[in-house]
Amino acid sequence: MKLEDFSKFDNSIKELGFPKRADGIEASLNVDQSRIPLGKSKISATSDAKLIHYSYSSDDNKKKLTLSVSNITYIDESDYEGWERFTDSVINILSKLDSILEHRTIKRTSIRFLNQFNFDQFDDPTEYFKVVISSTEDSLSYPLAKYAFKTTFKVSDVSHAVVNHFLDRVDERYIYILDLDILNSRNYEYAPSIILELLSQLREVKNTIFFDSVTDKLIELCN
């Protein structure tokens, strides 16, 4: 399969709500540094540029679709409208690409959820999160301005989860990001039904890790 094979679906993809397209180009330059004079001058170089992906986006740039020879990535940063609406969008995209994906082997399926929480005060992280970092008493000379840490969980022989916690302070408010990335490395022949099944399984893993990571107080604040 060549990247250019995706170009025949250009109009169909744009009709799905991705009217803007940008081509991703990877380029390298080879410059003979021994011939570069000091000061301002014009130089010549040998470049090796190639097209590596097509990137589509919605008018507001909140929905993005990237197509490459090795990956298909769909990102939705708009307000969450429910799992069924999300999977409907996935199926609509795949249905446009069926003819090029059939008989292909899928080597990895993943789903990522970024959760942002805003706090006016954040004196005690354990009020909101069950998974935190800590230090011995009086071990830090200065108060923390921000922090981040990562945990990795083995879910099964073919699945694992990467969870990132990040705290920052912006305009007198505390911003906490709980980033959950759930991955499955099972190999299977392309079929939308299997993709939906795996996404559903990965979502269940995400839900388990999410609710194991947050307190009832945080859940109440989100409702």
Side-chain angles (χ1 to χ4, degrees):
M1 181 175 68
K2 298 179 181 179
L3 179 62
E4 290 76 10
D5 294 338
F6 285 111
S7 62
K8 63 183 178 182
F9 305 107
D10 188 71
N11 290 333
S12 297
I13 292 172
K14 289 178 178 178
E15 291 172 356
L16 286 175
F18 301 94
K20 299 193 291 185
R21 171 181 151 180
D23 295 346
I25 297 175
E26 183 180 73
S28 60
L29 293 176
N30 185 13
V31 181
D32 185 355
Q33 297 186 10
S34 65
R35 296 189 176 184
I36 300 178
L38 297 176
K40 295 182 179 180
S41 62
K42 290 184 178 180
I43 62 173
S44 61
T46 301
S47 67
D48 180 15
K50 56 185 176 180
L51 187 64
I52 58 173
H53 65 248
Y54 298 134
S55 291
Y56 293 86
S57 60
S58 58
D59 284 325
D60 59 6
N61 291 318
K62 291 187 176 181
K63 295 184 179 182
K64 302 179 180 69
L65 176 65
T66 302
L67 305 175
S68 72
V69 172
S70 58
N71 292 288
I72 296 176
T73 304
Y74 170 55
I75 298 174
D76 188 349
E77 296 176 337
S78 56
D79 292 339
Y80 185 61
E81 297 180 337
W83 179 249
E84 289 187 3
R85 181 64 66 88
F86 173 76
T87 54
D88 284 346
S89 297
V90 172
I91 289 299
N92 286 337
I93 293 168
L94 293 177
S95 66
K96 301 297 183 182
L97 305 174
D98 266 339
S99 62
I100 198 173
L101 294 177
E102 60 183 357
H103 308 307
R104 303 286 177 181
T105 298
I106 307 299
K107 295 185 177 181
R108 190 182 76 170
T109 308
S110 65
I111 191 166
R112 185 178 182 185
F113 291 82
L114 279 83
N115 306 273
Q116 177 175 312
F117 307 98
N118 302 322
F119 302 97
D120 293 325
Q121 297 293 328
F122 197 75
D123 297 326
D124 183 3
T126 61
E127 287 188 32
Y128 307 103
F129 298 96
K130 299 176 184 177
V131 180
V132 298
I133 58 173
S134 62
S135 62
T136 57
E137 188 173 358
D138 299 326
S139 63
L140 300 178
S141 300
Y142 304 100
L144 283 174
K146 63 175 69 176
Y147 68 79
F149 64 95
K150 178 171 74 174
T151 56
T152 302
F153 302 93
K154 179 180 179 181
V155 178
S156 70
D157 289 339
V158 294
S159 297
H160 70 279
V162 179
V163 182
N164 285 283
H165 296 250
F166 176 75
L167 176 70
D168 197 3
R169 190 173 183 181
V170 180
D171 297 331
E172 303 303 318
R173 300 197 75 190
Y174 293 91
I175 310 296
Y176 198 104
I177 303 293
L178 180 58
D179 177 359
L180 302 104
D181 194 4
I182 322 298
L183 307 96
N184 182 292
S185 57
R186 167 188 166 189
N187 289 1
Y188 59 93
E189 187 171 307
Y190 167 79
S193 59
I194 298 179
I195 292 176
L196 285 183
E197 177 187 346
L198 283 177
L199 289 179
S200 180
Q201 293 173 5
L202 296 179
R203 176 175 176 257
E204 289 182 10
V205 173
K206 182 274 301 183
N207 285 341
T208 298
I209 294 176
F210 176 85
F211 288 108
D212 284 348
S213 302
V214 302
T215 65
D216 291 339
K217 180 176 182 178
L218 181 59
I219 295 174
E220 290 174 3
L221 291 176
C222 295
N223 293 332

